[in-house]
Amino acid sequence: MNKHIQYLLISILLLSASCSSVYMPNVPNTPMLSTKGEFSGGGHISLKGNGSLNGAYAFSNHFGALVSASVMNNERTRKDYRHKLGEVGLGYFDTFGPDNNRIIEIYAGFGSGRTDRNFRDYNENDILTLTNTELVKYNKTFIQLNYSSKKKNNLRLFGREYPLNYGTALRISHIDMDSFLSNGVGQPLEDNLFIEPVFFTRMHLSDAIQLQYTSSGNFGLKNRKFLTAGNSIFTIGLVVNLGGKQN
């Protein structure tokens, strides 16, 4: 538990920084599929209002498909930040371990998104003096490795036992601008390669429904002005798994 508390504190510190990047990561899809016919769906929300929806389906005993979408509309006095992102992927999963309750998944996929930002300046009398608008459209490709165990530790709350289990994911995302307009004028395009380590904790509310806390880092491998690693993930959400192995 101490490690996950550390991840929580780190995430809060990262979120205290402003949204400096035009790329806002979504919550990675970590369905932890275990058998053919299993479905996983989830919804997550961050403190900044970034909402993510994830879905996955195992169409065989080792292969599954992903679909994810995220949207955000954050309007403030001096800055607006809006984004939309969608992605799909295919991958392989397997269970292993002494009780066959550990899961590993690897997925690859692609997607596209857009970010709208407005910046406003005011004088000493709070009169608007300048507005700058930015519109960025981009393409995304990614590869992702997920690991989790269905082995559970119990958390006692209000006289009840709630099973907990933990997982990690490592996502590598390449973001490539398709267009970039500032006040309607075209700007130089950028790309970047992001390393996104992810940590999640799931508390079982029932056999099918789990409460999930997700935190992550975001590291860009290239020095860029706009497509930087300025945003991380800290979300709370619900995950539903139907039809999987019960261990």
Side-chain angles (χ1 to χ4, degrees):
M1 289 294 292
N2 290 335
K3 289 184 178 180
H4 291 275
I5 293 174
Q6 292 174 5
Y7 298 148
L8 172 61
L9 294 175
I10 291 172
S11 299
I12 293 173
L13 290 174
L14 289 171
L15 280 167
S16 64
S18 62
C19 295
S20 58
S21 177
V22 296
Y23 170 56
M24 174 68 69
N26 58 318
V27 176
N29 203 330
T30 54
M32 311 318 300
L33 301 174
S34 57
T35 189
K36 181 179 179 179
E38 183 175 0
F39 167 80
S40 174
H44 311 266
I45 188 72
S46 74
L47 292 177
K48 292 181 178 293
N50 185 25
S52 295
L53 291 175
N54 296 331
Y57 180 75
F59 54 83
S60 79
N61 283 326
H62 291 291
F63 293 94
L66 307 176
V67 60
S68 300
S70 66
V71 63
M72 177 177 174
N73 188 355
N74 193 331
E75 297 183 358
R76 297 184 179 180
T77 302
R78 295 186 176 273
K79 181 179 179 180
D80 300 333
Y81 192 105
R82 295 179 291 272
H83 99 107
K84 296 179 181 179
L85 172 64
E87 61 186 36
V88 295
L90 294 172
Y92 173 86
F93 65 88
D94 200 6
T95 59
F96 65 99
D99 299 318
N100 210 37
N101 63 359
R102 300 175 186 176
I103 302 173
I104 190 166
E105 302 174 300
I106 183 167
Y107 295 100
F110 63 92
S112 63
R114 62 177 286 163
T115 298
D116 299 84
R117 304 196 300 182
N118 297 324
F119 300 90
R120 290 177 286 269
D121 288 334
Y122 297 84
N123 63 17
E124 63 275 8
N125 297 316
D126 292 329
I127 297 175
L128 180 65
T129 59
L130 179 67
T131 299
N132 183 62
T133 64
E134 295 175 351
L135 171 60
V136 176
K137 296 181 181 179
Y138 58 86
N139 298 311
K140 175 181 181 179
T141 55
F142 69 92
I143 186 170
Q144 180 178 319
L145 178 68
N146 304 335
Y147 169 79
S148 182
S149 171
K150 289 192 175 182
K151 181 180 178 181
K152 303 177 181 68
N153 298 315
N154 287 331
L155 174 66
R156 187 172 182 83
L157 287 176
F158 309 113
R160 292 186 58 185
E161 298 284 344
Y162 292 94
L164 299 177
N165 65 295
Y166 310 97
T168 62
L170 178 63
R171 182 169 60 175
I172 302 175
S173 300
H174 180 253
I175 308 298
D176 187 18
M177 285 185 181
D178 186 55
S179 65
F180 180 15
L181 299 177
S182 179
N183 294 323
V185 179
Q187 303 296 314
L189 303 182
E190 296 181 353
D191 78 309
N192 210 335
L193 190 66
F194 294 98
I195 307 295
E196 300 166 334
V198 180
F199 309 93
F200 60 90
T201 301
R202 291 178 176 174
M203 182 172 73
H204 291 244
L205 305 180
S206 69
D207 288 341
I209 302 175
Q210 303 165 74
L211 181 68
Q212 177 171 313
Y213 151 67
T214 307
S215 64
S216 83
N218 182 239
F219 306 95
L221 299 187
K222 298 181 180 181
N223 185 17
R224 295 291 187 255
K225 183 178 180 180
F226 296 95
L227 206 53
T228 63
N231 299 309
S232 58
I233 295 172
F234 170 58
T235 63
I236 296 294
L238 289 176
V239 175
V240 177
N241 277 75
L242 301 175
K245 295 179 180 179
Q246 301 297 323
N247 290 317

